[in-house]
């Protein structure tokens, strides 16, 4: 054999170039594989305790437990997808919407509801202007704005909690409005399906349509993938980011109204922790913190996974702190798997 052939053979690249099929499958269906796995695990644990995981009351409990988080996630998805990581003003947006709704209850339930939702739109416009137009850091600004809203709420209402039936005037119209407000979190269609769960699903359907079927969704993908390239292509990036914050804050306001109705009290503490728990659900669904990759449907899967895991932990009888520990471990593992699969596919 000639020296030339020996050299050619020595330079043959034998490195592995094929991507594991398991990684591809997980990348496409990851969250649903996790949901199915959790359902199987829940079935086993419930059966071991003599129960039925799929009984109607348990499924109803899971959907009710994640309804508020799902409402927020239907909007928070857009913030993460746009590459802005998180909206730290979610807790006080929820609290403010609930308090304004209760405070306005004498105007009638529909008007009070619109005022509460409008407060979310206002918060979104401020966040969008500061981050989209003035290029403020999304985490620092929304965290600071959250503190500002907290201060305003405490000063205006002097740290008091609001009860719709107490705020309502002593008239039949006002009292009926207060009762209607309380009932929205305790209404069941056909006696089984919670109105809160239905509203969550409707919000996800609308969110999916906006993301998948409108030009805004396509522009948002470009902004999240490469901001500078999107700007050079003629996209009004400031407007796209502003709209994403308006959507997020509006969804948070709706969740805040339901939260206040569920607790039967509007308070500045309502919504505490929802910024991180909802971000966890969005990340579980496979949306990348860097933006440009994710889907509304998989975000819904992340919400379900969050609810199913909490339900399973309840079946096991673990205490609150033990539950937090297990949740943290499971979620870190799942997020690591998502990140690992993205890197293997050359997208992370």
């Amino acid at each position: 054999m000639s020296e030339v052939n020996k050299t050619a053979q020595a330079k043959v690249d034998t490195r592995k170039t094929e991507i594991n099929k398991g990684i591809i499958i997980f990348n496409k269906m990851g969250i649903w594989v996790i949901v199915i796995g959790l359902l199987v695990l829940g079935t086993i644990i419930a059966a071991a305790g003599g129960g039925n995981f799929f009984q109607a009351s348990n499924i109803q409990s899971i959907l009710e437990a994640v309804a508020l988080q799902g409402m927020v996630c239907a909007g928070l998805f857009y913030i993460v997808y746009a590459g802005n990581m998180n909206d730290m003003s979610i807790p006080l947006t929820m609290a403010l919407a609930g308090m304004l709704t209760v405070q306005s209850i004498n105007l009638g339930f529909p008007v009070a509801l619109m005022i509460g939702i409008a407060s979310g739109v206002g918060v979104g416009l401020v966040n969008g202007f500061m981050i989209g137009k003035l290029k403020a850091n999304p985490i620092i600004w929304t965290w600071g704005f959250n503190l500002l809203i907290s201060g305003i709420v405490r000063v205006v209402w002097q740290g008091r909690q609001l009860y719709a039936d107490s705020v309502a005037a002593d008239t039949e119209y006002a009292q009926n409005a207060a009762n209607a407000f309380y009932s929205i979190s305790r209404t069941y269609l056909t006696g089984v399906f919670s109105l809160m769960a239905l509203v969550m699903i409707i919000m996800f359907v609308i969110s999916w349509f906006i993301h998948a079927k409108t030009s805004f969704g396509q522009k948002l993908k470009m902004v999240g993938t490469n901001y500078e390239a999107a700007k050079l292509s003629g996209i009004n990036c400031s407007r796209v980011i502003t709209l994403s914050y308006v959507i997020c804050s509006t969804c948070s306001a709706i969740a805040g109204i339901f939260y206040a109705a569920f607790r039967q009290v509007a308070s500045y503490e309502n919504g505490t922790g929802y910024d991180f728990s909802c971000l966890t659900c969005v990340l579980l669904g496979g949306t990348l913190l860097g933006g440009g990759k994710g889907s509304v449907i998989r975000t819904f899967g992340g919400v379900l996974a969050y609810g199913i895991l909490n339900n399973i932990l309840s079946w096991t009888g673990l205490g609150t702190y033990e539950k937090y520990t297990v949740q943290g471990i499971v979620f870190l593992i799942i997020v690591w798997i998502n990140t690992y699969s993205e890197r293997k596919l050359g997208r992370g």
Side-chain angles (χ1 to χ4, degrees), residues 296-324:
V296 174
I297 293 176
R298 278 181 282 179
T299 297
F300 179 65
V303 171
L304 287 180
Y306 184 90
I308 295 169
L309 179 59
N310 279 334
N311 188 262
I312 291 173
L313 294 177
S314 297
W315 280 94
T316 62
L318 290 177
T320 301
Y321 298 117
E322 288 83 357
K323 286 181 181 179
Y324 288 156

Side-chain angles (χ1 to χ4, degrees), residues 71-113:
M71 292 177 195
V72 175
C73 288
L76 180 59
F77 163 79
Y78 289 90
I79 301 300
V80 183
Y81 191 73
N84 289 311
M85 295 179 285
N86 197 9
D87 182 352
M88 304 294 289
S89 65
I90 285 173
L92 263 297
T93 301
M94 294 175 66
L96 178 64
M99 298 191 80
L100 284 175
T101 300
V102 172
Q103 187 66 66
S104 308
I105 205 68
N106 287 314
L107 300 175
F109 177 64
V111 175
L113 188 65

Side-chain angles (χ1 to χ4, degrees), residues 106-152:
N106 287 314
L107 300 175
F109 177 64
V111 175
L113 188 65
M114 290 299 103
I115 290 174
I117 295 174
S119 70
V121 175
V123 171
L125 286 171
V126 174
N127 282 337
F129 175 77
M130 292 301 300
I131 296 167
K133 186 71 174 178
L134 301 185
K135 304 297 185 295
N137 181 284
I139 297 297
I140 294 175
W141 168 259
T142 54
W143 178 69
F145 196 43
N146 190 71
L147 294 178
L148 175 63
I149 299 173
S150 176
I152 292 173

Side-chain angles (χ1 to χ4, degrees), residues 7-66:
T7 304
Q9 288 179 354
K11 291 183 178 180
V12 173
D13 191 347
T14 59
R15 291 176 295 180
K16 184 178 179 180
T17 57
E18 292 184 0
I19 298 174
N20 188 290
K21 291 183 179 179
I23 292 176
I24 297 175
I25 293 173
F26 182 84
N27 190 263
K28 296 292 184 183
M29 302 178 59
I31 190 59
W32 299 111
V33 173
I34 293 167
V35 168
I36 293 171
L38 287 172
L39 288 174
V40 172
L41 178 62
T43 302
I44 295 171
I45 292 176
N52 179 10
F53 188 81
F54 287 97
Q55 61 187 348
S57 60
N58 194 52
I59 299 302
Q60 177 182 307
S61 176
I62 292 173
L63 290 175
E64 282 188 14
V66 299

Side-chain angles (χ1 to χ4, degrees), residues 2-291:
S2 67
E3 291 297 325
V4 175
N5 288 337
K6 289 181 180 179
T7 304
Q9 288 179 354
K11 291 183 178 180
V12 173
D13 191 347
T14 59
R15 291 176 295 180
K16 184 178 179 180
T17 57
E18 292 184 0
I19 298 174
N20 188 290
K21 291 183 179 179
I23 292 176
I24 297 175
I25 293 173
F26 182 84
N27 190 263
K28 296 292 184 183
M29 302 178 59
I31 190 59
W32 299 111
V33 173
I34 293 167
V35 168
I36 293 171
L38 287 172
L39 288 174
V40 172
L41 178 62
T43 302
I44 295 171
I45 292 176
N52 179 10
F53 188 81
F54 287 97
Q55 61 187 348
S57 60
N58 194 52
I59 299 302
Q60 177 182 307
S61 176
I62 292 173
L63 290 175
E64 282 188 14
V66 299
L68 295 175
Q69 265 130 352
M71 292 177 195
V72 175
C73 288
L76 180 59
F77 163 79
Y78 289 90
I79 301 300
V80 183
Y81 191 73
N84 289 311
M85 295 179 285
N86 197 9
D87 182 352
M88 304 294 289
S89 65
I90 285 173
L92 263 297
T93 301
M94 294 175 66
L96 178 64
M99 298 191 80
L100 284 175
T101 300
V102 172
Q103 187 66 66
S104 308
I105 205 68
N106 287 314
L107 300 175
F109 177 64
V111 175
L113 188 65
M114 290 299 103
I115 290 174
I117 295 174
S119 70
V121 175
V123 171
L125 286 171
V126 174
N127 282 337
F129 175 77
M130 292 301 300
I131 296 167
K133 186 71 174 178
L134 301 185
K135 304 297 185 295
N137 181 284
I139 297 297
I140 294 175
W141 168 259
T142 54
W143 178 69
F145 196 43
N146 190 71
L147 294 178
L148 175 63
I149 299 173
S150 176
I152 292 173
V153 166
R154 295 180 193 223
V155 169
V156 171
W157 284 284
Q158 299 179 340
R160 292 181 292 113
Q161 296 180 327
L162 302 179
Y163 299 87
D165 53 351
S166 298
V167 173
D170 191 19
T171 64
E172 184 179 357
Y173 179 75
Q175 290 298 323
N176 286 340
N179 291 332
F181 170 72
Y182 286 140
S183 69
I184 61 174
S185 65
R186 290 169 172 79
T187 297
Y188 295 88
L189 308 177
T190 67
V192 176
F193 201 70
S194 167
L195 176 62
M196 286 202 306
L198 177 62
V199 170
M200 173 192 68
I201 292 172
I202 291 173
M203 289 172 68
F204 265 112
V205 170
I206 295 172
S207 182
W208 167 82
F209 180 83
I210 292 172
H211 175 245
K213 301 296 181 180
T214 67
S215 60
F216 168 74
Q218 297 301 315
K219 292 175 182 177
L220 190 70
K221 180 178 179 64
M222 294 185 66
V223 170
T225 303
N226 192 321
Y227 183 93
E228 292 301 326
K231 189 175 181 179
L232 291 173
S233 67
I235 293 175
N236 188 331
C237 297
S238 298
R239 183 182 300 170
V240 170
I241 291 174
T242 298
L243 186 53
S244 70
Y245 275 97
V246 170
I247 292 173
C248 179
S249 295
T250 301
C251 291
S252 299
I254 294 172
I257 294 169
F258 273 97
Y259 192 106
F262 182 76
R263 288 191 64 205
Q264 296 191 334
V265 59
S267 167
Y268 60 85
E269 294 179 343
N270 287 6
T272 301
Y274 271 70
D275 43 358
F276 287 107
S277 66
C278 292
L279 177 62
T280 298
C281 294
V282 174
L283 296 180
L284 280 175
T287 304
L288 295 182
L289 272 175

